[in-house]
C-alpha cells in the first residue's frame, strides 16, 4: 500500500522529474522540479491556492514516483520526453504531433536526386527545411525536377547506365536520362547546382532564363513549347509569392502567438528561413482552462522544440516563458549555438507577432464549432454511454468479432476505442488454436480466455505494472460483444473463471444487420433518438467486423487458409466445398460412415474410403 504522507518525507532535495499515477496505474501528470521535495509536497498541502484543475488532479493521485537528475536542464529534457511518450491528461498538451518535411538532395550520389524526406539523417545528403506544408514541398520538388530535368528513378548510377530503356519522363522531355549516358556527369552536376540555388531562394535567374526561352519559342512559332515555359514561370511566381515577408537581416526565426478560449488554445507559428516566410502552421492545445498565457506558452515551446530537429536562431514570443534561462540553455545546447527568446514590445518583430496572433485568433474561431462537434462525437458519446449503462467514467472499450470462411478457418479481431476514438495500436488479431468449424461461441470463449489470461499473467509477473507496449495489460472499462445474450454469457463465463470483474455489453443488431441497441444486465437498452453513443457503438461494431474480415482476406491472399481436408488424397477444392456444404463442419465429416460420405455429390466410393481411413487409421 502506497502511503503518500510517508513517501513525501522520503523525497530528496535534488532536481528531477515526478510522475503522478491514478488507481489504474495511468500516468496523469508529469512535472519537473529544481528541488523534488519542495515541489511535490506542494500538491498535498493546503488546496486554498490551487486551481480547480490541480485540485481535481490531486484527488485522483494514487501514488507518485520520481527520477533524480543531475541538473535542472537534464530534468527539463527528461520531462519533455516523458510528456511526449505518455501524453498525461492533466498536462497542458500539444494535440498536433507533426513531423516536419524536408527537401533532400542526395549529393552523396554520383547522379543526385531531389526527394521528399520526413526526417533528417546523417547520410551526407543536403537537407532544406523543415517546411510546415507537405503539399508545398511536393509541389516544389515536382517543379525543380521539371525545370532542371533531374532524374526521379531509383536506378544505381553509374552502375546501371544503359541496362534499361529510358523512362517516360525522358520522352516527356522532363529528364536528361543520365541512365543512358545522354548527359555527362559534369553537365548533370551543373543542373543539380542550379537546383540547389533555386531551393535557397534564387528565383530571379531562373525566371529570366525561362522568359528568354519562352520568347524564343514563340518567335519560332513553337507555341506548345512556349506554353510549357509560361506555366513553369507561373509556378515559380506562385512559390515565391508564398514567401511574402522579407527580412533584411536574413535570419532564421520562428514567431509564436497564442489565442485562448475556455478549454482550448491555438498557437500560430510563422517559420522564417533566410529572411523568407516559408510557412504558417497552427496547433491546438488542451488542458489550458486554468493555465496562464505564460504557462501555456512555456508548455508549447517545450513540446514543439522537443519534436523538431531544426531550431532557428531567434524565437519571437507573444508571452514570456517560465524558466526562460533553463529553456534557453536547453535550446542552445540542442542547436549547438545561441538561441534567443525574444518578447518584442514594438518594431518589426512586434508587427510579426501581431500578425501571428491574428492568425491564431482566426483559426480558434473557425475551428471552434468543428472541435465542439468532434468532442460531442467522442467524449460526449462516451458520457452518453456511461449514463445509458449506469457505469461512470468509461474511457476504454474493447470489441471482439469472429470471422470464418465455410468453417475452414476461424479468426477473430479485438479493436479498441479510447475516449470515443479508435486506438489502432492496441488492436489485436487471433487465429483459432482449439476450435474447428464455424462455432462462434467456442471461438469467442477461446479468444477471450487467451486475451485476459495473457493480460493477467503479464500483470502478475510485473507486480501489477502495465506494459505500455502490451495492450493486453490494459483491461477495458467495458467489453463490447458483437451479439446479444449468448455472446455476453460466453464473456461472463470466461471472466468468472479468471476471477475478473469487467462489465460486458452486447451490441445487438436488427434483421437488416444494423445496430439496434445494447444488451446489458439481462435487458436490452435502446438508444435515444439521434444519440451520439449509438453512432459511436455502430462505428465500434463496424470496425471490429472490418478488422476481422480484413485479417481473413489477408490470410486468403497469402494462401494461408488451410483445411485438414486438403491433406486427404483425392480431395481438391471442389470436393472440399461439397463436403462442407453437406456436413457443415469438420467434426461431422470425421464421424461420418463410408455410406454417408458416398452420399455427398462428387464423392465416389474410393474417395469416401480415403476420407474414412484418414480420420480413423493411425
Amino acid at each position: 500500500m502506497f502511503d503518500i504522507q510517508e513517501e513525501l518525507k522520503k523525497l530528496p532535495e535534488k532536481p528531477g522529474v515526478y510522475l503522478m499515477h491514478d488507481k489504474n496505474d495511468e500516468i496523469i501528470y508529469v512535472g519537473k522540479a529544481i528541488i523534488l521535495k519542495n515541489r511535490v509536497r506542494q500538491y498535498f498541502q493546503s488546496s486554498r491556492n490551487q486551481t480547480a484543475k490541480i485540485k481535481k488532479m490531486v484527488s485522483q493521485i494514487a501514488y507518485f514516483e520520481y527520477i533524480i537528475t543531475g541538473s535542472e536542464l537534464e530534468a527539463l529534457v527528461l520531462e519533455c520526453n516523458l510528456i511526449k511518450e505518455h501524453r498525461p491528461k492533466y498536462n497542458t498538451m500539444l494535440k498536433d504531433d507533426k513531423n516536419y518535411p524536408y527537401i533532400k538532395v542526395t549529393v552523396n550520389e554520383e547522379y543526385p536526386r531531389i526527394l521528399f524526406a520526413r526526417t533528417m539523417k546523417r547520410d551526407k545528403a543536403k537537407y532544406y527545411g523543415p517546411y510546415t506544408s507537405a503539399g508545398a514541398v511536393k509541389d516544389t520538388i515536382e517543379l525543380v525536377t521539371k525545370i532542371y530535368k533531374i532524374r526521379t528513378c531509383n536506378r544505381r548510377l553509374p552502375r546501371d547506365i544503359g541496362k534499361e530503356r529510358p523512362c517516360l519522363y525522358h520522352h516527356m522531355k522532363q529528364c536528361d536520362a543520365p541512365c543512358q549516358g545522354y548527359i555527362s556527369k559534369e553537365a548533370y552536376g551543373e543542373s543539380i547546382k542550379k537546383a540547389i540555388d533555386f531551393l535557397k531562394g534564387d528565383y530571379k535567374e531562373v525566371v529570366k532564363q525561362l522568359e528568354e526561352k519562352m520568347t524564343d519559342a514563340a518567335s519560332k512559332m513553337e507555341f506548345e513549347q512556349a506554353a510549357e515555359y509560361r506555366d513553369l514561370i507561373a509556378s515559380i511566381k506562385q512559390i515565391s509569392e508564398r514567401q511574402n515577408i522579407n527580412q533584411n537581416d536574413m535570419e532564421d526565426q520562428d514567431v509564436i502567438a497564442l489565442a485562448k478560449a475556455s478549454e482550448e488554445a491555438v498557437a500560430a507559428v510563422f517559420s522564417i528561413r533566410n529572411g523568407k516566410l516559408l510557412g504558417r502552421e497552427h496547433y491546438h492545445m488542451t488542458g489550458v482552462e486554468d493555465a496562464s498565457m505564460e504557462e501555456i506558452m512555456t508548455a508549447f515551446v517545450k513540446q514543439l522544440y522537443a519534436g523538431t530537429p531544426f531550431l532557428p536562431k531567434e524565437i519571437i514570443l507573444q508571452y514570456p516563458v517560465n524558466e526562460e534561462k533553463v529553456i534557453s540553455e536547453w535550446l542552445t545546447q540542442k542547436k549547438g549555438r545561441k538561441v534567443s527568446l525574444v518578447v518584442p514590445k514594438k518594431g518589426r518583430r512586434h508587427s510579426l507577432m501581431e500578425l501571428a496572433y491574428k492568425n491564431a485568433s482566426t483559426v480558434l474561431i473557425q475551428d471552434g464549432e468543428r472541435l465542439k462537434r468532434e468532442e460531442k462525437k467522442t467524449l460526449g458519446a462516451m458520457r452518453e454511454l456511461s449514463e445509458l449503462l449506469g457505469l461512470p467514467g468509461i474511457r476504454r472499450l474493447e470489441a471482439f468479432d469472429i470471422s470464418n470462411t465455410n468453417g475452414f478457418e476461424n479468426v477473430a479481431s479485438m479493436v479498441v476505442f479510447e475516449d470515443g476514438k479508435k486506438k489502432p495500436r492496441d488492436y489485436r488479431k487471433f487465429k483459432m488454436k482449439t476450435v474447428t468449424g464455424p462455432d462462434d461461441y467456442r471461438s469467442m470463449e477461446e479468444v477471450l480466455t487467451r486475451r485476459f489470461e495473457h493480460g493477467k499473467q503479464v500483470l502478475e509477473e510485473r507486480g501489477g505494472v502495465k506494459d505500455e507496449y502490451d495492450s493486453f495489460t490494459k483491461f477495458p472499462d467495458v467489453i463490447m460483444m458483437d451479439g446479444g445474450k449468448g455472446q455476453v454469457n460466453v464473456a461472463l463465463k470466461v471472466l468468472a473463471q479468471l476471477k475478473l470483474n469487467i462489465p460486458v455489453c452486447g451490441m445487438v443488431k436488427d434483421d437488416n444487420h444494423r445496430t439496434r441497441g445494447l444488451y446489458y444486465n439481462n435487458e436490452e437498452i435502446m438508444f435515444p433518438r439521434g444519440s451520439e453513443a449509438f453512432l459511436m457503438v455502430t462505428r465500434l461494431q463496424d470496425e471490429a467486423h472490418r478488422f476481422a474480415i480484413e485479417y481473413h482476406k489477408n490470410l486468403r491472399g497469402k494462401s494461408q487458409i488451410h483445411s485438414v481436408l486438403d491433406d486427404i488424397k483425392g480431395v481438391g477444392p471442389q470436393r472440399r466445398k461439397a463436403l462442407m456444404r453437406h456436413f457443415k463442419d469438420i467434426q461431422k465429416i470425421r464421424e461420418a460412415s463410408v455410406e454417408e460420405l458416398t452420399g455427398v455429390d462428387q464423392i465416389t466410393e474410393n474417395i469416401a474410403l480415403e476420407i474414412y481411413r484418414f480420420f480413423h487409421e493411425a
Side-chain angles (χ1 to χ4, degrees), residues 315-334:
I315 302 171
I316 299 168
L317 303 171
Q318 183 185 12
Y319 299 97
V321 294
N322 301 328
E323 312 154 347
E324 180 181 345
K325 184 179 177 182
V326 69
I327 289 175
S328 181
E329 185 184 349
W330 167 55
L331 296 174
T332 296
Q333 190 180 93
K334 202 166 184 239

Side-chain angles (χ1 to χ4, degrees), residues 233-256:
I233 292 167
S235 296
I236 293 170
K237 287 181 176 177
Q238 186 179 7
I239 285 175
S240 63
E241 283 168 5
R242 285 183 187 144
Q243 301 173 352
N244 55 5
I245 295 179
N246 293 307
Q247 312 297 338
N248 296 325
D249 49 13
M250 297 296 286
E251 287 184 352
D252 288 341
Q253 297 169 313
D254 281 351
V255 184
I256 304 175

Side-chain angles (χ1 to χ4, degrees), residues 484 506 508-509 516-526:
V508 185
K509 292 186 176 181
R516 181 182 76 212
L518 300 173
Y519 182 80
Y520 179 63
N521 278 349
N522 294 317
E523 62 175 305
E524 190 169 318
I525 302 170
M526 303 306 295

Side-chain angles (χ1 to χ4, degrees), residues 34-87:
I34 301 174
I35 301 175
L36 282 165
K37 186 172 186 176
N38 296 347
R39 184 71 188 97
V40 177
R41 288 174 68 177
Q42 286 177 357
Y43 289 100
F44 302 96
Q45 292 170 353
S46 172
S47 62
R48 191 180 309 152
N49 298 321
Q50 290 179 347
T51 64
K53 177 184 171 183
I54 294 297
K55 287 178 183 176
K56 186 176 179 182
M57 186 266 286
V58 172
S59 71
Q60 295 181 25
I61 296 173
Y63 68 96
F64 61 81
E65 57 181 324
Y66 55 88
I67 303 167
I68 297 171
T69 59
S71 66
E72 187 184 0
L73 178 59
E74 288 180 20
L76 174 69
V77 174
L78 180 58
E79 178 198 31
C80 290
N81 292 336
L82 290 172
I83 289 173
K84 186 176 178 65
E85 179 181 355
H86 297 289
R87 303 190 68 81

Side-chain angles (χ1 to χ4, degrees), residues 158-186:
R159 188 194 70 181
D160 294 339
I161 289 178
K163 288 187 177 180
E164 296 181 42
R165 290 181 296 177
C167 67
L168 183 61
Y169 287 106
H170 172 67
H171 297 295
M172 294 167 63
K173 299 182 180 178
Q174 292 181 18
C175 177
D176 281 329
C179 62
Q180 302 300 308
Y182 293 166
I183 181 173
S184 69
K185 182 179 175 181
E186 292 71 26

Side-chain angles (χ1 to χ4, degrees), residues 260-442:
K260 178 186 174 187
S262 63
E263 298 181 2
E264 189 80 19
V266 169
V269 181
F270 284 8
S271 301
I272 299 169
R273 303 292 179 260
N274 294 322
K276 294 185 174 66
L277 178 66
L278 288 189
R280 288 167 287 186
E281 193 61 84
H282 62 267
Y283 303 81
H284 289 278
M285 303 285 289
T286 59
V288 301
E289 55 269 29
D290 295 321
S292 67
M293 299 305 278
E294 288 79 8
E295 289 170 333
I296 299 170
M297 184 65 82
T298 302
F300 179 74
V301 167
K302 289 196 288 190
Q303 291 177 53
L304 178 69
Y305 293 112
T308 175
F310 181 84
L311 283 165
K313 180 181 177 183
E314 183 177 80
I315 302 171
I316 299 168
L317 303 171
Q318 183 185 12
Y319 299 97
V321 294
N322 301 328
E323 312 154 347
E324 180 181 345
K325 184 179 177 182
V326 69
I327 289 175
S328 181
E329 185 184 349
W330 167 55
L331 296 174
T332 296
Q333 190 180 93
K334 202 166 184 239
K335 183 176 177 64
R337 55 185 296 189
K338 177 70 174 174
V339 176
S340 301
L341 300 173
V342 180
V343 182
K345 300 299 180 185
K346 58 182 180 179
R348 176 181 58 78
R349 288 177 174 81
H350 185 265
S351 298
L352 284 171
M353 184 268 294
E354 284 290 315
L355 186 59
Y357 171 69
K358 288 177 184 175
N359 274 261
S361 299
T362 301
V363 169
L364 189 63
I365 293 167
Q366 289 175 343
D367 287 1
E369 286 303 314
R370 179 184 61 80
L371 291 169
K372 285 178 185 175
R373 290 195 299 272
E374 180 68 19
E375 194 273 345
K376 190 177 178 184
K377 281 174 59 180
T378 54
L379 292 173
M382 287 300 240
R383 285 193 292 269
E384 281 186 19
L385 184 64
S386 291
E387 291 172 9
L388 273 173
L389 301 178
L391 297 170
I394 295 176
R395 287 196 63 211
R396 182 183 176 97
L397 302 175
E398 287 183 7
F400 298 83
D401 191 25
I402 303 293
S403 179
N404 63 70
T405 302
N406 293 331
F408 298 141
E409 183 76 85
N410 283 338
V411 298
S413 65
M414 177 186 112
V415 302
V416 178
F417 273 28
E418 274 194 7
D419 295 329
K421 296 179 182 178
K422 299 176 187 176
K423 196 176 182 187
R425 191 176 74 176
D426 285 359
Y427 287 12
R428 292 293 182 269
K429 303 167 185 172
F430 299 85
K431 198 173 180 182
M432 294 307 106
K433 295 179 178 179
T434 63
V435 181
T436 56
D439 190 330
D440 285 1
Y441 286 170
R442 285 176 58 213

